[in-house]
Amino acid sequence: MLRKIFISVAVALAVWPIATLAQQATGPRLESPGEISVWSTVLTQKQEYCRRQARAQKLGYWKRRRFVRDCVKHEMSGR
């Protein structure tokens, strides 16, 4: 009985942060295909800009991925 309670609590604690993050808005609500296309183009351009910066710094694979992710977040927050 105690084992079942422990497992259910452990599962709930593991799922809770995922559910919370899934509910957060990740960007603006886009209503038309044109807006989606523009947003996609802007995101692609920012990713390429950040990739070029990472290449210029000659970062390793994992550091480069982390740098690009953080750079894009920073660039998109200024939009």
Side-chain angles (χ1 to χ4, degrees):
M1 181 68 172
L2 186 60
R3 193 164 119 184
K4 287 183 181 180
I5 292 172
F6 177 75
I7 291 172
S8 62
V9 169
V11 169
L13 289 175
V15 172
W16 174 63
I18 297 169
T20 303
L21 289 174
Q23 293 175 355
Q24 293 178 349
T26 57
R29 296 284 178 200
L30 305 174
E31 298 185 12
S32 71
E35 289 178 343
I36 293 170
S37 175
V38 169
W39 182 255
S40 177
T41 302
V42 168
L43 180 61
T44 303
Q45 290 171 348
K46 303 242 183 206
Q47 286 173 332
E48 183 59 31
Y49 170 75
C50 292
R51 267 191 228 111
R52 287 182 185 175
Q53 283 185 338
R55 270 190 233 128
Q57 293 180 15
K58 298 182 180 180
L59 298 175
Y61 179 76
W62 291 111
K63 288 183 181 181
R64 186 172 63 242
R65 285 183 54 119
R66 189 177 307 126
F67 176 84
V68 170
R69 183 191 66 213
D70 294 341
C71 176
V72 169
K73 279 184 187 179
H74 176 72
E75 289 292 321
M76 295 307 281
S77 68
R79 186 178 184 273

